[in-house]
Every structure is written in structure tokens, then in C-alpha cells.
Amino acid sequence: MMATQLQTKGWTRNQMAARAAKELRDGYYVNLGIGIPTLVANNIPAGMTVTLQSENGMLGIGPFPYEDEVDPDLINAGKQTISELPQSSYFDSAQSFAMIRGGHIDLAVLGGMEVSQDGDLANWMVPGKMIKGMGGAMDLVAGVKKIIVVMEHTSKNGDAKFIPECTLPLTGKNVVDMIITDLAVFQRPDHESPFKLIELAPGVTAQEVREKTTAQYTE
Amino acid sequence: MQKIYDSAERALEGLLFDGMTIAAGGFGLCGIPERLIDAIQSSGVKDLTIASNNAGIDNEGLGKLLRTRQVKKMISSYVGENKEFERQFLAGELEVEFTPQGTLAERMRAGGAGIPGFYTKTGFGTQVAEGKEVKEFDGEEYILERGIRADLSVVKGWKADESGNLIFRKTARNFNLPAATCGKVCVAEVEEIVPVGSLDPDAIHLPSIYVKRMILGGPYEKKIEFRTVREREAA
């Protein structure tokens, strides 16, 4: 209850995920990245059929298992134990990425470190610091029909993350369709158009977004 | 022809040499060929190039071979959760060819299917594309990636019949299937070996032609990286 009262402006992590969930459509096949994107699964509108893909080889991700159902052979791409659904299917990694690269997945929601005004995404490496690797992110941005990036509007130091040009190594060039931050939503209709500010989080002004964004966008 | 060996060491006999390339199945610690990795470790073979999605975690899976410094180079998409890996990499002791996960799976599939290279959009405009041929198809740009042919594949299956037909279980299939096809020799470890005729031919994931040698690998501990559960609603 206290948290709600203290929450005077902007979106929480879960609210950002809920905003991303508004982009889901009945019948969609969706891949969710690790972190905030995973929370989108808890916000699928009732009555809507959305099938979640896990790039390690599963369609139809179920909820976390009950303690007595935990199966080491059944994990998601974040290596968490999960459960299966009656409609689930399993396949190998080559098949998994054939459906990703081949444009069969409708939507991917990913985390981001930086997004450029031209839709470039950087989310896999900080030279000299974070060297974990790109996993499936480069394949997802190359092949999935629509890419939503969910991220904090600024870094911990207050630096803008929606910027003119990425400074970190790219995950993909001109690949992002929508950006959801704790302050606002930006969207573009195609990969030739600039991003447009389409929504502000509660209590956030367009002026504040302008001050915390270095990328060019339309309003 | 007898494909069943009584230990991982025997199954690898004559197949290991310094500087070789090994393709390994598994995603994280799920579906990794534990017994074969142990046997590779104890053989002392070194300067290995290993194509595997991940590099294990500290002292688990391929992490064991990193600790003993048997690995010269990893071809992987994600190597987090591994401090020793990070240390060796930052110290310049270990070479890493970061390969997008889908590109890695396809490189193995292609290598096993006699396809030396293929064009993909994945990685175009990123550092993954550096030094690679770019070609335009229908107005979009693609990069040339090479198929992987390994000297040896090591994979983990669930059930095999005595002829080497293999079935995997749930998400433990992952890279095991493409990895199995791209080695000059594939050695598989499985949890159960059943007589020929016991498996439904329509249900085989990996046909026996790919499996040259196999062992019964159990019992398996099957380590879990992140154990996540939900509570049962009160009755």
C-alpha cells in the first residue's frame, strides 16, 4: 500500500510490462526476453490466446511448476524451471531459430541498454565489462515481425538511453518498432519513419521526456 | 555393428587429439553430455575448440574443461554465469567467437547437411558481420556464415535403441540434434537403451545414421541453474 502512495509518477517495472502486453493480439506467437519482458506473461489479457516461444526449443510455455513437478529437462531460455501446457511442443535449436529468423513469430519484447533514433538496438555487451554474449537477441531482432524494447528511460547515472546513435556494440541495426520506458512510449509505423511520442506515463510531462531524451523524435 | 560401449572413456578411444574441434549439445546445464565431458577432461586432451551454445558454469559442464585449461577457443552465444570463463577471457587466455544463438544452431545444421555456408540477416550491421561477405537479396542485406564441421560431436539423449536411433526429452533436445549431425563422429550418451523395435519409428528425433557410438550414461543428477516454482493454492 505504501508503495502505491509513493508511486507518484512514471511506470513501475510491472506497469511497463503491462503496457507492453497491450500490444498483444489474439493468436500471437511471442518471444519474451529476460527481465522486465518476462513480466509481460503475467499481463496477458483474459480470454486472449497468446503462445509464448522459448528459444531453447519450446512453444507454449506454462507457468512455473509446483515444487513436486520441477523437471530439470524443462527450462526456459533464462534457464528457469517451467511447466508445459496441453498445446506445448518441443523442438531443437535449429528449428527454434528457423521459426524466429523465418518471420513466424509475431512479436518479441526485449530489454535494452541503448536505442538510437534510427531504431538501432544495443543490449548485449559493454566492452571490457559485460561479456556474456548475445544469446538469441540478434536472431530475434533480425527475424521477428515486431520488436518492442522495454527499458528504463535513463541509466542509473541519469544518462539518456534513447539517443541519436548507440555507443555500445549493436544487437541489430534499424530493428526497433516501439520503445516503452518508465516515462513514455515511442512508436514508429515502419523502419523509415522517425519515432513518435505516443503516450506519457502518469504524472510525466512531454517536457520532462524531452529533457531526458537526446534522440530526435516527433510529438 | 556394435555401437554400445561400456564407458565414456572407451567410447572416446581413438577419437581425441590435441587441437581438435568438438561440437557439444546442451543449453545451459540442460541436456549436456556430462559423462563424455568428464571423460574428455580426464583424457587430458588440450587446445580444444568447442562449439557449444554455452560454456557451462563454474566447474559444471564445459566449465570443467575451462578450469583445467583444456580449451583454446569457444564458439558460443552466451557465456554468463561463469567466473572462470570471464577471468580467462579478460586475461586473453581464452579465445571466444561470439555467435548468435540461431546462427550457431544453423552453422551446425548446415555443416552436418553438407552446406558450407549460408546467408542470414542475423548480425548484419553489428560486429558479428565484421569481415564477412554481405549480399543483397530482394532489397535486404545478409551476411555469409560458415557451416561447422567438427572432428567430434558429443551429445546427450534420453532414449536410444540398440541401433542408435535417438529420442530427446523436452527442452533437453536443444543443440543436441544439430550438434550430433555436424561431427565426423558423433558419440551419444543416453539415459536408457532399449531393444531395436521398441521405439516408434515415427517418433525418432535423431536417426541412427548420425550416432556412431553410445553409452548408457546414468544415473544423472541433472543440475538446475534457476529453480523457480509456484505455490499451490490453498484447498
Side-chain angles (χ1 to χ4, degrees), chain A residues 64 68 71 73 81 132 135, chain B residues 79 169 171 222 228 230 232:
Chain A
F64 290 147
D68 55 3
D71 184 339
D73 288 339
T81 48
K132 292 171 188 292
Chain B
V79 296
R169 187 168 175 276
T171 56
K222 293 193 185 177
T228 43
R230 67 186 151 139
R232 263 182 216 286

Side-chain angles (χ1 to χ4, degrees), chain A residues 100-155:
Chain A
I100 289 170
R101 200 188 304 104
H104 304 280
I105 307 274
D106 299 291
L107 172 69
V109 185
L110 304 171
M113 296 179 195
E114 293 175 343
V115 176
S116 80
Q117 61 193 27
D118 296 324
D120 301 348
L121 170 66
N123 75 350
W124 76 279
M125 189 192 214
V126 181
K129 280 189 191 159
M130 195 194 86
I131 46 136
K132 292 171 188 292
M134 70 290 280
M138 286 192 183
D139 308 277
L140 285 162
V141 299
V144 173
K145 287 182 198 146
K146 180 174 179 175
I147 301 294
I148 299 178
V149 171
V150 179
M151 64 180 186
E152 302 293 331
H153 201 89
T154 55
S155 70

Side-chain angles (χ1 to χ4, degrees), chain B residues 212-229:
Chain B
K212 298 292 186 288
R213 302 180 182 185
M214 60 182 170
I215 59 160
L216 196 55
Y220 283 98
E221 222 181 307
K222 293 193 185 177
K223 294 221 167 65
I224 291 172
E225 281 185 67
F226 302 106
R227 187 187 190 91
T228 43
V229 296

Side-chain angles (χ1 to χ4, degrees), chain B:
Chain B
M1 185 186 159
Q2 178 58 262
K3 292 184 177 178
I4 304 169
Y5 288 69
D6 60 9
S7 72
E9 288 72 18
R10 289 250 169 80
L12 291 172
E13 228 166 59
L15 301 179
L16 301 176
F17 58 93
D18 291 349
M20 72 187 298
T21 298
I22 299 176
F27 183 93
L29 298 180
C30 182
I32 56 169
E34 296 177 35
R35 298 287 104 78
L36 292 164
I37 291 169
D38 285 345
I40 291 168
Q41 184 189 28
S42 60
S43 78
V45 65
K46 58 183 195 298
D47 296 328
L48 300 173
T49 293
I50 301 184
S52 166
N53 187 52
N54 312 93
I57 59 175
D58 286 307
N59 218 22
E60 291 295 342
L62 293 172
K64 292 179 182 178
L65 303 182
L66 290 170
R67 211 172 64 113
T68 51
R69 308 294 193 86
Q70 287 167 272
V71 184
K72 183 182 72 178
K73 178 180 174 179
M74 290 295 308
I75 305 175
S76 303
S77 85
Y78 188 83
V79 296
E81 282 91 54
N82 194 325
K83 287 201 178 59
E84 178 60 15
F85 184 102
E86 201 162 313
R87 195 200 62 71
Q88 288 186 23
F89 179 67
L90 290 173
E93 298 164 11
L94 178 68
E95 214 183 309
V96 185
E97 184 179 331
F98 278 116
T99 304
Q101 196 173 136
T103 296
L104 179 59
E106 190 63 14
R107 288 181 67 190
M108 290 182 181
R109 196 199 70 82
I115 297 170
F118 57 92
Y119 292 97
T120 177
K121 221 189 302 177
T122 303
F124 172 73
T126 75
Q127 68 183 49
V128 163
E130 282 168 21
K132 291 173 186 164
E133 184 196 325
V134 173
K135 192 168 167 132
E136 193 183 304
F137 294 90
D138 306 321
E140 296 212 54
E141 282 160 305
Y142 296 76
I143 60 173
L144 178 66
E145 290 282 2
R146 295 294 311 271
I148 292 174
R149 283 291 277 163
D151 297 303
L152 170 70
S153 300
V154 288
V155 302
K156 157 80 180 10
W158 178 40
K159 269 187 196 181
D161 70 15
E162 290 159 333
S163 77
N165 285 313
L166 237 71
I167 293 177
F168 301 98
R169 187 168 175 276
K170 301 185 188 283
T171 56
R173 192 180 324 180
N174 57 58
F175 276 83
N176 281 298
L177 198 146
T181 65
C182 79
K184 289 175 191 155
V185 180
C186 170
V187 182
E189 57 179 272
V190 296
E191 295 178 43
E192 193 182 351
I193 299 177
V194 298
V196 167
S198 326
L199 300 178
D200 176 0
D202 263 338
I204 303 299
H205 296 142
L206 181 70
S208 68
I209 190 167
Y210 295 105
V211 179
K212 298 292 186 288
R213 302 180 182 185
M214 60 182 170
I215 59 160
L216 196 55
Y220 283 98
E221 222 181 307
K222 293 193 185 177
K223 294 221 167 65
I224 291 172
E225 281 185 67
F226 302 106
R227 187 187 190 91
T228 43
V229 296
R230 67 186 151 139
E231 296 290 322
R232 263 182 216 286
E233 299 79 14

Side-chain angles (χ1 to χ4, degrees), chain A residues 7-12 15-16 19 153 180-186 197-206 208-209:
Chain A
Q7 174 67 38
T8 53
K9 71 173 191 179
W11 281 313
T12 63
Q15 286 167 332
M16 289 159 71
R19 178 58 191 81
H153 201 89
I180 299 172
T181 75
D182 51 328
L183 303 182
V185 181
F186 303 89
L197 174 67
I198 59 161
E199 204 172 320
L200 294 166
V204 177
T205 64
E208 183 182 354
V209 171

